[in-house]
Amino acid sequence: GEGGTSTISGKVRVVKLVGEQEYYAQEERVYIIYGDDITHSDDVRTSFDGTYRFSYLRKGTYHIYAYSKDTTGNYDSGKMPVIKTVEISKHNQHIEVDDIIIFD
């Protein structure tokens, strides 16, 4: 959770299902879940270049996610989470997450 010295950052990339365009998402919400919490603990919006950052994190496991258009047909909302799991194992660690790829 918060109160630490580590950061997690990355980018969100959008793939258009029609037209097959790809670009980095602007103003897309990215959520973080601390450890075993059931709901998201915090969220940020991506910058103009698709980047996001969660700062002041302690050691532990985190789930980072953004919502994508559902391509599986399994979600009633039409949206599905694209989740990356990250482990912070020491103080002052900076983890760069692989791109979160969402569909639109």
Side-chain angles (χ1 to χ4, degrees), residues 67-85:
Y67 283 102
S68 172
K69 180 179 272 187
D70 179 20
T71 58
T72 66
N74 292 328
Y75 294 88
D76 292 336
S77 67
K79 296 276 188 182
M80 62 183 217
V82 177
I83 304 169
K84 302 283 186 178
T85 300

Side-chain angles (χ1 to χ4, degrees), residues 33-93:
I33 297 174
Y34 301 152
D36 294 328
D37 286 357
I38 294 176
T39 60
H40 76 273
S41 306
D42 197 5
D43 64 83
V44 295
R45 287 194 182 267
T46 57
S47 184
F48 70 95
D49 61 354
T51 59
Y52 64 87
R53 176 186 298 265
F54 293 99
S55 301
Y56 310 112
L57 301 175
R58 297 182 205 177
K59 290 191 273 187
T61 301
Y62 296 87
H63 305 286
I64 312 293
Y65 66 98
Y67 283 102
S68 172
K69 180 179 272 187
D70 179 20
T71 58
T72 66
N74 292 328
Y75 294 88
D76 292 336
S77 67
K79 296 276 188 182
M80 62 183 217
V82 177
I83 304 169
K84 302 283 186 178
T85 300
V86 179
E87 180 78 28
I88 293 176
S89 58
K90 58 187 177 190
H91 299 293
N92 298 314
Q93 195 171 7

